[in-house]
């Protein structure tokens, strides 16, 4: 549940970089996503056709502040997005490093505090840092979106230990893996670890067949969640025979 909204699917899909509007439309449908993200800058001038695709999808729109590097820029962009898309939801990005696109934790917390106070439902793009997560919760965020790896890198879950610690530290907070996912197996791993959803864009948009890839991610996330709920077997240091020794026939010389 995200800000009081129950979703039936756990894949959130970005809408940038697709080869054509038709492919974007088909990929959204194949993914079964109920939430799609859109950058206000991407929507831009002359974007009425793009807005039609978003509206026709039937998905809930999660605008983002992609490309913002300061608190003021992010807050201004969020207000413009709320006016344009008519939703209090905002994926908050405040980038602090040009190469890694790592969020600036200090500016992120400040911007989150301002936007939460102004009635936004903030989805902050953050790292797996527990202290930053606590500060974002204190600022009013009810969801955290830790990165798996740098945006668009396809490296998957680069800090497994850190992400496991975050899941354990915030057991009641919805956590969405955002950024760095490059393969369906990586998204499945996130779900097996107990994360609530996965947000991705490049891995689908830049695939040879984005529609087929969107379907693959949808199936992987469903499988990962089912596995988590079914109860994964624990890893062992030693072998453990699946066939019991007791009851086996004894061969006498």
């Amino acid at each position: 549940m995200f800000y009081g909204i129950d979703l039936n699917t756990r894949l959130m899909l970005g809408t940038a970089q697709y080869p054509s509007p038709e492919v974007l439309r088909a990929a959204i449908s194949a993914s079964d996503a109920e939430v799609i993200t859109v950058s206000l800058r991407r929507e831009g001038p002359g974007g009425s056709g793009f807005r039609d695709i978003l509206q026709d999808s039937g998905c809930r729109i999660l605008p983002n502040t992609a490309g913002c590097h300061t608190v003021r820029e992010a807050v201004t962009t969020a207000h413009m997005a709320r006016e344009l898309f008519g939703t209090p939801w905002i994926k908050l990005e405040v980038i602090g490093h040009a190469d890694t696109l790592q969020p600036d934790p200090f500016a992120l917390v400040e911007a989150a505090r301002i936007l939460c106070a102004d009635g936004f439902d903030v989805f902050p793009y953050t790292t797996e840092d527990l202290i930053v997560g606590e500060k974002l919760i204190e600022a009013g965020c009810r969801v955290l979106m830790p990165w798996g790896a740098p945006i668009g890198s396809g490296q998957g879950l680069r800090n497994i230990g850190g992400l496991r610690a975050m899941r354990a530290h915030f057991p009641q907070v919805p956590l969405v893996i955002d950024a760095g996912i490059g393969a369906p197996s990586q998204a499945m791993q996130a779900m097996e670890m107990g994360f609530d959803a996965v947000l991705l864009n490049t891995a689908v948009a830049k695939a040879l067949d984005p529609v087929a890839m969107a379907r693959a991610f949808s199936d992987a996330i469903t499988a990962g969640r089912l596995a988590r709920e079914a109860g994964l077997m624990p890893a062992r240091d030693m072998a453990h025979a699946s066939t019991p020794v007791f009851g086996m026939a004894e061969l006498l010389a």
Side-chain angles (χ1 to χ4, degrees), residues 108-171:
L108 179 66
V109 171
E110 183 180 350
R113 184 174 291 109
I114 293 170
L115 291 174
C116 288
D118 198 34
F120 283 87
D121 296 333
V122 178
F123 293 70
Y125 163 61
T126 182
T127 66
E128 65 275 22
D129 188 291
L130 300 183
I131 303 304
V132 176
E134 289 179 347
K135 295 298 183 183
L136 288 167
I137 296 298
E138 291 172 5
C141 298
R142 290 160 55 190
V143 177
L144 297 175
M145 303 185 80
W147 67 348
I151 294 172
S153 69
Q155 296 177 25
L157 307 182
R158 201 167 59 169
N159 183 0
I160 296 293
L163 290 170
R164 288 191 189 281
M166 190 173 207
R167 178 67 284 178
H169 192 72
F170 297 104

Coordinates of all heavy atoms in Angstrom, one line a residue, residues 108-171:
L108 N 17.9 16.2 -0.4 CA 16.8 15.4 -0.6 C 15.9 15.5 0.7 O 14.7 15.6 0.6 CB 17.2 13.9 -0.7 CG 16.1 12.8 -0.9 CD1 15.3 13.0 -2.1 CD2 16.8 11.4 -0.8
V109 N 16.5 15.4 1.9 CA 15.7 15.5 3.1 C 15.0 16.8 3.2 O 13.8 16.9 3.6 CB 16.6 15.2 4.3 CG1 15.8 15.5 5.6 CG2 17.1 13.7 4.3
E110 N 15.7 17.9 2.9 CA 15.2 19.2 3.0 C 14.0 19.4 2.0 O 12.9 19.9 2.4 CB 16.2 20.3 2.7 CG 15.7 21.7 2.8 CD 16.8 22.8 2.5 OE1 18.0 22.4 2.4 OE2 16.4 24.0 2.4
A111 N 14.2 18.9 0.8 CA 13.1 19.0 -0.2 C 11.9 18.2 0.2 O 10.7 18.6 0.0 CB 13.6 18.6 -1.6
A112 N 12.2 17.0 0.7 CA 11.1 16.1 1.2 C 10.3 16.8 2.3 O 9.0 16.7 2.3 CB 11.6 14.8 1.7
R113 N 11.0 17.4 3.2 CA 10.3 18.1 4.3 C 9.3 19.2 3.8 O 8.2 19.3 4.3 CB 11.3 18.7 5.3 CG 10.7 19.3 6.6 CD 11.7 19.7 7.6 NE 12.4 18.5 8.2 CZ 13.6 18.2 7.9 NH1 14.4 18.9 7.1 NH2 14.1 17.1 8.5
I114 N 9.8 20.0 2.9 CA 9.0 21.1 2.3 C 7.8 20.5 1.6 O 6.7 21.0 1.8 CB 9.9 21.9 1.3 CG1 11.0 22.6 2.1 CG2 9.0 22.9 0.5 CD1 12.0 23.3 1.2
L115 N 8.0 19.5 0.8 CA 6.9 18.9 0.0 C 5.9 18.2 0.8 O 4.7 18.3 0.6 CB 7.5 18.0 -1.1 CG 8.3 18.8 -2.2 CD1 8.9 17.7 -3.2 CD2 7.4 19.7 -3.0
C116 N 6.3 17.4 1.8 CA 5.4 16.7 2.7 C 4.5 17.7 3.4 O 3.3 17.5 3.6 CB 6.2 15.9 3.7 SG 6.9 14.4 2.9
A117 N 5.1 18.8 3.9 CA 4.4 19.9 4.6 C 3.4 20.6 3.7 O 2.4 21.1 4.1 CB 5.3 20.9 5.2
D118 N 3.6 20.5 2.4 CA 2.7 21.1 1.4 C 1.7 20.2 0.8 O 1.1 20.5 -0.2 CB 3.6 21.8 0.3 CG 2.8 22.8 -0.5 OD1 2.0 23.5 0.1 OD2 3.0 22.9 -1.7
G119 N 1.6 19.0 1.4 CA 0.5 18.1 1.0 C 0.9 17.1 -0.1 O 0.0 16.4 -0.6
F120 N 2.2 17.0 -0.4 CA 2.6 16.0 -1.4 C 2.7 14.6 -0.8 O 3.1 14.5 0.4 CB 3.9 16.4 -2.0 CG 3.8 17.5 -3.1 CD1 3.9 18.8 -2.7 CD2 3.7 17.1 -4.4 CE1 3.8 19.8 -3.6 CE2 3.6 18.1 -5.4 CZ 3.7 19.5 -5.0
D121 N 2.5 13.6 -1.5 CA 2.8 12.2 -1.2 C 4.2 11.9 -1.8 O 4.2 11.6 -3.0 CB 1.8 11.2 -1.6 CG 0.4 11.5 -1.0 OD1 0.4 12.0 0.2 OD2 -0.6 11.1 -1.6
V122 N 5.2 11.9 -1.0 CA 6.6 11.9 -1.6 C 7.2 10.5 -1.6 O 7.2 9.8 -0.6 CB 7.5 12.8 -0.8 CG1 8.9 12.8 -1.3 CG2 7.0 14.3 -0.8
F123 N 7.7 10.1 -2.8 CA 8.4 8.9 -3.0 C 9.9 9.3 -3.2 O 10.3 9.6 -4.4 CB 7.9 8.2 -4.2 CG 6.5 7.6 -4.1 CD1 5.4 8.5 -4.1 CD2 6.2 6.3 -4.1 CE1 4.1 8.0 -4.0 CE2 5.0 5.8 -4.0 CZ 3.9 6.6 -4.0
P124 N 10.7 9.3 -2.2 CA 12.1 9.8 -2.4 C 13.1 8.7 -2.9 O 13.2 7.6 -2.4 CB 12.5 10.2 -0.9 CG 11.7 9.2 -0.1 CD 10.4 8.9 -0.8
Y125 N 13.7 9.1 -4.0 CA 14.8 8.3 -4.5 C 16.1 8.5 -3.7 O 16.6 9.6 -3.6 CB 15.1 8.7 -6.0 CG 16.4 8.3 -6.6 CD1 16.7 6.9 -6.7 CD2 17.3 9.2 -7.0 CE1 17.9 6.5 -7.2 CE2 18.5 8.8 -7.6 CZ 18.8 7.4 -7.7 OH 20.0 7.0 -8.2
T126 N 16.5 7.4 -3.0 CA 17.5 7.6 -2.0 C 18.5 6.4 -2.2 O 18.4 5.6 -3.1 CB 16.9 7.6 -0.6 OG1 18.0 7.8 0.4 CG2 16.2 6.3 -0.3
T127 N 19.5 6.3 -1.3 CA 20.4 5.2 -1.2 C 19.9 4.3 -0.1 O 18.9 4.5 0.5 CB 21.8 5.7 -0.9 OG1 21.9 6.2 0.4 CG2 22.3 6.7 -1.9
E128 N 20.7 3.2 0.2 CA 20.3 2.3 1.2 C 20.8 2.7 2.6 O 20.7 2.0 3.6 CB 20.9 0.9 0.9 CG 22.4 0.8 0.9 CD 23.0 1.2 -0.4 OE1 22.4 1.9 -1.2 OE2 24.2 0.8 -0.7
D129 N 21.2 4.0 2.7 CA 21.7 4.5 4.0 C 20.5 4.6 5.0 O 19.5 5.3 4.8 CB 22.3 5.9 3.8 CG 23.0 6.5 5.0 OD1 22.3 6.8 6.0 OD2 24.2 6.6 5.0
L130 N 20.7 4.0 6.1 CA 19.6 3.9 7.1 C 19.4 5.2 7.8 O 18.2 5.5 8.1 CB 20.0 2.8 8.2 CG 20.2 1.4 7.7 CD1 20.5 0.5 8.9 CD2 19.1 0.9 6.9
I131 N 20.4 6.0 8.0 CA 20.2 7.3 8.7 C 19.4 8.2 7.8 O 18.5 8.9 8.2 CB 21.5 8.0 9.1 CG1 22.3 7.0 10.0 CG2 21.3 9.3 9.8 CD1 21.6 6.6 11.2
V132 N 19.8 8.3 6.5 CA 19.0 9.1 5.5 C 17.6 8.6 5.5 O 16.6 9.4 5.4 CB 19.6 9.0 4.1 CG1 18.8 9.8 3.1 CG2 21.1 9.6 4.2
G133 N 17.4 7.3 5.5 CA 16.0 6.8 5.5 C 15.2 7.2 6.7 O 14.0 7.6 6.6
E134 N 15.8 7.2 7.9 CA 15.1 7.7 9.1 C 14.8 9.2 9.0 O 13.7 9.6 9.4 CB 16.0 7.5 10.3 CG 16.2 6.0 10.7 CD 17.0 5.8 11.9 OE1 17.8 6.7 12.3 OE2 17.0 4.7 12.5
K135 N 15.7 10.0 8.4 CA 15.4 11.4 8.3 C 14.3 11.7 7.3 O 13.5 12.6 7.5 CB 16.7 12.1 7.8 CG 17.9 12.1 8.8 CD 17.6 12.8 10.1 CE 18.8 12.8 11.0 NZ 18.4 13.4 12.3
L136 N 14.2 10.9 6.3 CA 13.1 11.0 5.3 C 11.8 10.6 5.9 O 10.8 11.3 5.7 CB 13.4 10.1 4.1 CG 14.5 10.6 3.1 CD1 14.9 9.6 2.1 CD2 14.1 11.9 2.4
I137 N 11.8 9.6 6.7 CA 10.5 9.2 7.4 C 10.1 10.4 8.4 O 9.0 10.7 8.5 CB 10.7 7.9 8.2 CG1 11.0 6.8 7.2 CG2 9.5 7.6 9.1 CD1 9.9 6.5 6.2
E138 N 11.1 10.9 9.1 CA 10.8 12.0 10.0 C 10.3 13.2 9.3 O 9.5 14.0 9.8 CB 12.1 12.4 10.8 CG 12.6 11.3 11.8 CD 13.9 11.7 12.4 OE1 14.5 12.8 12.1 OE2 14.5 10.8 13.2
A139 N 10.7 13.4 8.0 CA 10.3 14.5 7.2 C 8.8 14.4 6.8 O 8.2 15.3 6.3 CB 11.2 14.7 6.0
G140 N 8.3 13.1 6.9 CA 6.9 12.9 6.5 C 6.7 11.9 5.4 O 5.6 11.6 5.0
C141 N 7.8 11.4 4.8 CA 7.7 10.3 3.8 C 7.2 9.0 4.4 O 7.6 8.6 5.4 CB 9.1 10.1 3.1 SG 9.8 11.5 2.3
R142 N 6.3 8.4 3.6 CA 5.8 7.1 4.1 C 6.2 6.0 3.1 O 5.7 4.8 3.2 CB 4.2 7.2 4.2 CG 3.8 8.1 5.3 CD 2.4 8.6 5.2 NE 1.4 7.5 5.0 CZ 0.2 7.7 4.7 NH1 -0.3 9.0 4.5 NH2 -0.7 6.7 4.6
V143 N 7.1 6.3 2.2 CA 7.6 5.3 1.3 C 9.1 5.7 1.1 O 9.4 6.9 1.1 CB 6.9 5.3 -0.1 CG1 7.6 4.4 -1.1 CG2 5.4 5.0 0.0
L144 N 10.0 4.7 0.9 CA 11.4 4.9 0.6 C 11.7 4.2 -0.7 O 11.2 3.0 -0.9 CB 12.3 4.5 1.7 CG 12.1 5.2 3.0 CD1 13.1 4.5 4.1 CD2 12.5 6.7 2.9
M145 N 12.5 4.8 -1.6 CA 12.9 4.2 -2.8 C 14.4 4.1 -2.9 O 15.0 4.9 -3.6 CB 12.3 5.0 -4.0 CG 10.8 5.1 -3.9 SD 10.1 6.0 -5.4 CE 10.1 4.6 -6.6
P146 N 15.0 3.1 -2.3 CA 16.5 3.0 -2.4 C 16.9 2.5 -3.8 O 16.2 1.6 -4.4 CB 16.8 1.9 -1.3 CG 15.5 1.1 -1.2 CD 14.4 2.1 -1.5
W147 N 18.1 2.9 -4.2 CA 18.6 2.5 -5.5 C 19.2 1.1 -5.4 O 19.6 0.6 -4.3 CB 19.6 3.4 -6.1 CG 20.9 3.6 -5.3 CD1 21.2 3.1 -4.0 CD2 22.1 4.3 -5.8 NE1 22.5 3.5 -3.7 CE2 23.0 4.2 -4.7 CE3 22.4 5.0 -6.9 CZ2 24.3 4.7 -4.8 CZ3 23.7 5.5 -7.0 CH2 24.6 5.4 -6.0
G148 N 19.1 0.3 -6.5 CA 19.8 -0.9 -6.5 C 21.2 -0.7 -7.0 O 22.2 -1.3 -6.5
A149 N 21.4 0.2 -7.9 CA 22.7 0.6 -8.5 C 22.4 1.9 -9.2 O 21.3 2.4 -9.3 CB 23.2 -0.4 -9.5
P150 N 23.5 2.6 -9.7 CA 23.3 3.9 -10.4 C 22.2 3.8 -11.5 O 22.1 2.7 -12.2 CB 24.7 4.2 -10.9 CG 25.6 3.6 -9.9 CD 24.9 2.3 -9.5
I151 N 21.5 4.8 -11.7 CA 20.4 4.9 -12.7 C 21.0 4.5 -14.1 O 22.0 4.9 -14.6 CB 19.9 6.3 -12.8 CG1 19.2 6.7 -11.5 CG2 18.9 6.4 -14.0 CD1 18.7 8.1 -11.5
G152 N 20.3 3.5 -14.8 CA 20.6 3.1 -16.1 C 21.8 2.2 -16.2 O 22.2 1.9 -17.3
S153 N 22.4 1.8 -15.1 CA 23.6 1.0 -15.2 C 23.4 -0.5 -15.4 O 24.3 -1.2 -15.9 CB 24.4 1.2 -13.9 OG 23.8 0.6 -12.8
G154 N 22.2 -1.0 -15.0 CA 21.9 -2.4 -15.2 C 22.7 -3.3 -14.3 O 22.8 -4.5 -14.5
Q155 N 23.3 -2.8 -13.2 CA 24.2 -3.6 -12.4 C 23.4 -4.4 -11.3 O 23.9 -5.2 -10.6 CB 25.1 -2.7 -11.6 CG 26.1 -2.0 -12.5 CD 27.1 -1.0 -11.7 OE1 27.3 -1.2 -10.5 NE2 27.6 0.0 -12.4
G156 N 22.1 -4.2 -11.2 CA 21.3 -4.9 -10.3 C 21.4 -4.4 -8.9 O 21.7 -3.3 -8.6
L157 N 21.3 -5.4 -7.9 CA 21.4 -5.0 -6.5 C 22.9 -5.1 -6.1 O 23.4 -6.2 -5.7 CB 20.5 -6.0 -5.7 CG 19.1 -6.2 -6.2 CD1 18.3 -7.1 -5.2 CD2 18.4 -4.8 -6.2
R158 N 23.5 -4.0 -6.1 CA 25.0 -3.9 -5.9 C 25.4 -4.1 -4.5 O 26.5 -4.5 -4.2 CB 25.5 -2.6 -6.5 CG 27.0 -2.6 -6.8 CD 27.4 -1.4 -7.6 NE 27.1 -0.1 -7.0 CZ 27.6 1.0 -7.4 NH1 28.3 1.1 -8.5 NH2 27.3 2.1 -6.8
N159 N 24.5 -3.7 -3.5 CA 24.8 -3.8 -2.1 C 23.8 -4.6 -1.4 O 22.9 -4.1 -0.8 CB 24.9 -2.4 -1.5 CG 25.4 -2.5 0.0 OD1 25.6 -3.5 0.6 ND2 25.5 -1.3 0.6
I160 N 23.9 -6.0 -1.6 CA 22.9 -6.9 -1.0 C 22.8 -6.7 0.5 O 21.7 -6.6 1.0 CB 23.2 -8.3 -1.4 CG1 23.2 -8.5 -2.9 CG2 22.3 -9.3 -0.7 CD1 21.8 -8.4 -3.5
G161 N 23.9 -6.7 1.2 CA 23.9 -6.6 2.6 C 23.2 -5.3 3.1 O 22.4 -5.3 4.0
G162 N 23.5 -4.2 2.4 CA 22.9 -2.9 2.8 C 21.4 -2.9 2.6 O 20.6 -2.3 3.4
L163 N 21.0 -3.5 1.5 CA 19.6 -3.5 1.2 C 18.8 -4.4 2.1 O 17.7 -4.2 2.5 CB 19.3 -3.9 -0.3 CG 19.8 -2.9 -1.3 CD1 19.8 -3.5 -2.7 CD2 18.9 -1.7 -1.3
R164 N 19.4 -5.6 2.5 CA 18.8 -6.5 3.5 C 18.7 -5.7 4.8 O 17.6 -5.9 5.5 CB 19.6 -7.7 3.7 CG 19.6 -8.7 2.5 CD 20.2 -10.0 2.8 NE 20.4 -10.9 1.7 CZ 19.4 -11.6 1.2 NH1 18.2 -11.6 1.7 NH2 19.6 -12.4 0.1
A165 N 19.7 -5.0 5.2 CA 19.6 -4.2 6.4 C 18.5 -3.2 6.4 O 17.8 -3.0 7.4 CB 21.0 -3.6 6.7
M166 N 18.3 -2.6 5.3 CA 17.3 -1.6 5.2 C 15.9 -2.2 5.3 O 15.0 -1.7 5.9 CB 17.4 -0.8 3.8 CG 16.5 0.4 3.7 SD 16.9 1.4 2.2 CE 16.3 3.0 2.8
R167 N 15.7 -3.4 4.6 CA 14.5 -4.0 4.7 C 14.2 -4.4 6.2 O 13.0 -4.3 6.7 CB 14.5 -5.3 3.8 CG 13.2 -6.1 3.9 CD 12.0 -5.5 3.2 NE 11.4 -4.5 4.1 CZ 10.3 -3.8 3.7 NH1 9.8 -3.9 2.5 NH2 9.8 -2.9 4.6
A168 N 15.2 -4.9 6.9 CA 15.0 -5.3 8.3 C 14.8 -4.1 9.2 O 14.0 -4.1 10.2 CB 16.2 -6.1 8.8
H169 N 15.4 -2.9 8.9 CA 15.3 -1.7 9.7 C 14.0 -1.0 9.6 O 13.5 -0.4 10.5 CB 16.5 -0.8 9.3 CG 16.7 0.3 10.3 ND1 17.2 0.2 11.6 CD2 16.4 1.7 10.2 CE1 17.3 1.3 12.2 NE2 16.8 2.2 11.4
F170 N 13.4 -1.2 8.4 CA 12.1 -0.5 8.2 C 11.0 -1.5 7.8 O 10.5 -1.6 6.7 CB 12.2 0.5 7.0 CG 13.2 1.7 7.3 CD1 14.4 1.7 6.7 CD2 12.8 2.7 8.2 CE1 15.3 2.7 6.9 CE2 13.7 3.7 8.4 CZ 14.9 3.8 7.8
P171 N 10.6 -2.4 8.8 CA 9.7 -3.5 8.4 C 8.3 -3.1 8.0 O 7.7 -3.8 7.3 CB 9.7 -4.3 9.7 CG 10.1 -3.4 10.8 CD 11.0 -2.4 10.2

